[in-house]
């Protein structure tokens, strides 16, 4: 659904993207991760036809982002970081207004309100909605045209855990129904939970691309928490020969009650690859 080859974008002397290459499959949840300024938003702007690249190629649904924008735009939609809703209008009226721009029916509006769990509050003004309700309305708005590809830029930023959980569940349902999801997020647990594959950007370059599991196995920092007979706990590094010797000694002396291993995290992966925290 998305193909990027050697994509580059410069702003004067600043090279925001430095020749990135990747593909996204139909129905996949693909996450683009990286620190602020890594090039994530620039990539989304190019793929949504709001910015022209300096070099390289990008296509969405088989159409060129350079020359076939009119074919791409009806097939995509975007949920940005900003909750840019009409606060003094009801949820239903917000959705109906955007549906009219796409020529969608009133039936489609009601279907979407039910799908995102806002049917019972659709008549309320948006200014009375919680952050999670607003975010679900934004996703509903982005689904008015039944996009083949949905771009989500930090969809759970600033939400409480319950609201974030609801949004993630909705994203999973959309992917399961065949919508291709292109996600950016600073929450590594969210990327780990949702993504089929992730790509890490650092200084405009893709420094790793694989499934979350493979990346954690390859680059993650593996540790374990050991509970001893005297009820004291010890954290050991599974890659350390000294810690391995300590563990062997405890086991030999029968001092170990439990061992809980901890796999690496995506945050570990990024630090290992880019030498800095997200």
């Amino acid at each position: 659904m998305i193909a990027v080859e050697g994509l580059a974008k410069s702003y004067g002397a600043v090279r925001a993207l430095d020749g990135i290459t990747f593909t996204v499959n139909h129905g996949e949840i693909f996450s683009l991760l990286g620190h602020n300024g890594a090039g994530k938003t620039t990539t989304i702007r190019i793929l949504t036809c709001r910015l022209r690249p300096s070099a390289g190629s990008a296509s969405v649904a088989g159409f060129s982002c350079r020359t076939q924008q009119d074919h791409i735009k009806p097939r995509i939609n975007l949920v940005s970081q900003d909750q840019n809703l009409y606060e003094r209008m009801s949820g239903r009226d917000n959705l109906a207004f955007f549906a009219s721009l796409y020529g969608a029916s009133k039936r489609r509006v009601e279907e979407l309100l039910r799908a995102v769990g806002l049917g019972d509050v659709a008549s309320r003004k948006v200014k009375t909605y919680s952050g999670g309700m607003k975010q679900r309305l934004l996703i509903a708005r982005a689904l008015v045209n039944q996009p083949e590809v949905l771009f989500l830029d930090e969809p759970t930023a600033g939400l409480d855990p319950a609201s974030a959980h609801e949004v993630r569940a909705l994203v999973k349902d959309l992917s399961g129904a065949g919508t291709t999801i292109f996600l950016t997020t600073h929450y590594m647990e969210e990327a780990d939970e949702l993504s089929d594959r992730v790509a890490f950007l650092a200084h405009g370059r893709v420094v790793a691309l694989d499934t979350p599991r493979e990346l954690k196995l390859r680059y993650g920092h593996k540790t374990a928490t050991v509970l001893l007979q005297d009820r004291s706990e010890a954290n050991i590094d599974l890659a350390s020969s000294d810690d391995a010797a300590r563990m062997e000694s405890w086991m030999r002396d029968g001092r170990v009650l439990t061992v809980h291993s901890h796999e690496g995290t995506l945050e570990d992966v990024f630090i290992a690859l880019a030498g800095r925290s997200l």
Side-chain angles (χ1 to χ4, degrees):
M1 289 301 292
I2 298 174
V4 171
E5 180 71 34
L7 195 65
K9 178 62 181 178
S10 296
Y11 298 95
V14 177
R15 199 161 177 82
L17 294 177
D18 195 12
I20 64 173
T21 297
F22 62 84
T23 60
V24 180
N25 301 317
H26 178 268
E28 184 176 27
I29 300 179
F30 184 92
S31 291
L32 190 63
L33 310 177
H35 53 77
N36 289 331
K40 304 185 300 297
T41 299
T42 296
T43 302
I44 284 183
R45 285 176 177 167
I46 291 173
L47 293 176
T48 54
C49 305
R50 294 178 296 153
L51 185 67
R52 291 183 64 84
S54 303
S57 64
S59 64
V60 177
F63 298 101
S64 169
C65 294
R66 281 184 180 272
T67 61
Q68 297 176 298
Q69 297 95 328
D70 289 346
H71 293 282
I72 292 174
K73 289 179 179 180
R75 292 174 166 84
I76 66 173
N77 220 316
L78 166 70
V79 178
S80 69
Q81 298 180 45
D82 301 320
Q83 293 188 333
N84 52 347
L85 295 161
Y86 294 108
E87 298 270 326
R88 286 188 257 182
M89 291 169 59
S90 70
R92 178 178 285 108
D93 287 344
N94 264 270
L95 212 52
F97 173 70
F98 281 89
S100 69
L101 299 178
Y102 285 101
S105 66
K106 292 183 179 179
R107 180 186 300 174
R108 178 65 177 160
V109 170
E110 298 305 319
E111 287 175 354
L112 288 171
L113 287 168
R114 288 193 299 271
V116 299
L118 295 177
D120 292 340
V121 296
S123 298
R124 281 172 45 185
K125 291 185 177 180
V126 169
K127 66 181 180 181
T128 69
Y129 283 12
S130 68
M133 293 164 67
K134 290 178 181 178
Q135 199 66 13
R136 283 185 278 148
L137 183 60
L138 284 168
I139 292 175
R141 191 180 74 182
L143 296 175
V144 162
N145 62 324
Q146 298 179 290
E148 296 174 39
V149 183
L150 180 62
F151 293 89
L152 300 175
D153 193 4
E154 303 284 350
T156 61
L159 298 186
D160 62 77
S163 297
H165 175 78
E166 292 174 352
V167 170
R168 288 195 294 270
L170 183 55
V171 171
K172 289 178 184 177
D173 289 344
L174 291 171
S175 174
T179 303
T180 302
I181 307 291
F182 191 96
L183 171 71
T184 70
T185 179
H186 277 111
Y187 301 131
M188 294 300 97
E189 296 86 355
E190 179 170 274
D192 199 351
E193 176 187 344
L194 292 177
S195 308
D196 296 300
R197 289 185 302 146
V198 301
F200 279 96
L201 272 181
H203 310 296
R205 297 182 180 183
V206 174
V207 294
L209 196 166
D210 212 326
T211 65
R213 178 182 292 271
E214 286 302 314
L215 288 171
K216 289 184 294 182
L217 287 172
R218 195 178 312 152
Y219 300 105
H221 189 62
K222 303 176 185 68
T223 62
T225 301
V226 182
L227 178 63
L228 300 174
Q229 288 282 1
D230 62 4
R231 301 305 191 265
S232 64
E233 283 189 350
N235 294 314
I236 64 171
D237 183 344
L238 296 178
S240 165
S241 57
D242 289 341
D243 280 359
R246 291 169 63 204
M247 183 68 177
E248 184 179 356
S249 174
W250 292 332
M251 293 291 289
R252 187 171 54 248
D253 296 340
R255 296 176 59 194
V256 175
L257 285 178
T258 62
V259 178
H260 295 281
S261 61
H262 311 287
E263 68 176 354
T265 66
L266 290 181
E267 181 82 6
D268 293 335
V269 174
F270 190 79
I271 292 172
L273 292 168
R276 61 180 289 187
S277 170
L278 287 171

